[in-house]
Amino acid sequence: DALMAARDEISRLKRPQVRPMSAAATLQPSKVDALRARAFEIESLEDQLAEDEVQLIQSQAEIIQKEDALASATDEVDKLINDREAERMKLDFEMQALRAERDQALAA
């Protein structure tokens, strides 16, 4: 809210204003200087906010890239686990077949 009020104040200060000479003459230089200083401070804050927003967007992009890389690595690990499990099952089946042949040979 304070930032919005300050922005409104800057916009108002930037607008050309027609003041009667008496009003311009009564405006205190210290008040003008204070308003200019405040306007500069607000512009600096807006610049910092814009920089922070850019940094946030860059950070979010990096996070998305890392999440994608993690998902890809997880998929690779899952594939390796599935391949190993399939190989183990194949070896178990072959081992059962060899035991059955051995048992048959010993029985004969």
Side-chain angles (χ1 to χ4, degrees), residues 16-74:
Q17 297 178 359
V18 179
R19 294 178 185 235
M21 269 312 265
S22 62
T26 60
L27 193 58
Q28 298 172 357
S30 62
K31 187 169 185 176
V32 172
D33 290 342
L35 289 174
R36 285 185 180 146
R38 183 71 177 139
F40 178 76
E41 179 185 341
I42 291 169
E43 287 177 3
S44 296
L45 290 172
E46 288 175 335
D47 291 345
Q48 182 62 46
L49 179 62
E51 290 174 19
D52 290 348
E53 288 173 345
V54 167
Q55 182 63 37
L56 176 63
I57 291 168
Q58 290 172 342
S59 296
Q60 288 172 333
E62 289 174 11
I63 288 170
I64 290 169
Q65 288 175 343
K66 289 178 181 178
E67 287 174 340
D68 289 347
L70 179 60
S72 177
T74 301

